[in-house]
Amino acid sequence: MVSYGICSCWPGAYCDTKSSCCYPTSGKPAADFGIHGLWPNYNSSSWPSNCDPDSKFDRSQIEDLLSSMKKNWPTLSCPSNEGFKFWKHEWEKHGTCAESVMDQHEYFENALKLKEKANLLQILTNSGINPDDGFYDLKNITNTIKDGIGYTPGLQCNKDRERNFQLYQIYICVDTSGTEFIECPVLPKGTCPSKLQFAKF
C-alpha cells in the first residue's frame, strides 16, 4: 500500500441523481462537500477492502467525534438515519485496511482533519465557481483546486435526470500516514466532460 485517498461528495449531485435521497435525522446537511470516505490504495488503480472481518465498527470509539461527523460526514441514504450504518460500512470496508497505521478513532479523525484542511467549497467559490446549477470548465475546476491545496485532484461526475453531467466527487491523495496531501500515484478514472454543472443543494 502506498497511499490513501480522501473522497468528498457534493450532496446536490447525489440528490439530483439518485431516485431519492433522505436527509439525516438531524436535518438537511449544510450545502458543503461531505466526506465519502478515506480509502487505502495500492500504487495502481486498485485498492484493498474488508481486510479484517473481526474488527467491527464501535461507536463508543468515536463518541467525541460524533457532532463533527454528523456535520462533515453526513449520510443521504434512505431511509433517514443518523449515519452509523454509513460509517460502519466505511470502517469495515476501508478503515480495516488502514489498521496498521491508524485505529478506528484516528481513521475518522484523520478524515475530518483532511476535509477541514482542503475546504473545497471555499476554494471553488473564492474563484467564482458556485453551486448555482451553472456550467463550468473541467480544467478550471481542476486547476482551481490544485492551486488551493497544491495537488491535482481527481474529479468524478454523474448525470442528473436531464442527463447533465454534474460535479459529484472530488478525490485527493494522501500520504501513508493518512494525514498529508500528496500527488496521486494514479488518479481515479475521470468521468467528467469538458463542461459540467455544479448543482444547487
Side-chain angles (χ1 to χ4, degrees):
M1 194 186 309
V2 176
S3 62
Y4 296 85
I6 180 87
C7 188
S8 301
C9 177
W10 180 248
Y14 182 98
C15 291
D16 238 9
T17 309
K18 297 286 181 183
S19 52
S20 64
C21 74
C22 294
Y23 299 153
T25 48
S26 53
K28 182 179 179 180
D32 192 7
F33 286 93
I35 298 167
H36 185 170
L38 178 60
W39 303 334
N41 297 301
Y42 296 124
N43 195 3
S44 64
S45 55
S46 65
W47 54 89
S49 63
N50 302 104
C51 294
D52 184 0
D54 295 326
S55 181
K56 301 300 183 190
F57 175 72
D58 178 3
R59 63 179 286 174
S60 71
Q61 299 286 317
I62 56 165
E63 288 290 342
D64 62 312
L65 302 176
L66 286 181
S67 63
S68 182
M69 287 177 65
K70 286 175 182 177
K71 179 184 173 197
N72 295 293
W73 202 328
T75 179
L76 291 168
S77 64
C78 297
S80 181
N81 64 92
E82 288 184 278
F84 290 105
K85 184 179 176 185
F86 181 25
W87 304 328
K88 175 180 186 290
H89 168 80
E90 290 300 314
W91 168 254
E92 292 178 0
K93 182 174 181 181
H94 301 288
T96 56
C97 301
E99 281 184 301
S100 62
V101 177
M102 56 189 104
D103 62 24
Q104 197 166 142
H105 185 276
E106 290 166 333
Y107 172 78
F108 289 104
E109 186 176 42
N110 285 350
L112 291 166
K113 286 179 177 176
L114 289 164
K115 180 194 182 280
E116 185 180 359
K117 187 185 290 193
N119 203 346
L120 293 167
L121 184 62
Q122 185 173 29
I123 288 170
L124 292 170
T125 57
N126 283 352
S127 293
I129 300 168
N130 299 298
D132 55 7
D133 282 346
F135 286 81
Y136 297 92
D137 288 332
L138 172 64
K139 194 175 282 186
N140 190 18
I141 294 173
T142 302
N143 289 339
T144 296
I145 295 169
K146 183 175 181 180
D147 290 346
I149 63 170
Y151 300 98
T152 306
L155 302 186
Q156 293 180 316
C157 289
N158 58 13
K159 290 181 183 176
D160 67 7
R161 294 176 185 89
E162 286 77 48
R163 311 300 289 164
N164 294 312
F165 280 95
Q166 298 183 317
L167 177 60
Y168 178 43
Q169 297 196 126
I170 298 175
Y171 186 90
I172 305 168
C173 286
V174 182
D175 69 1
T176 51
S177 73
T179 60
E180 300 293 335
F181 297 132
I182 57 170
E183 282 295 338
C184 290
V186 178
L187 279 168
K189 189 166 184 254
T191 55
C192 297
S194 59
K195 266 206 175 307
L196 53 131
Q197 187 177 45
F198 195 3
K200 290 178 181 176
F201 180 63

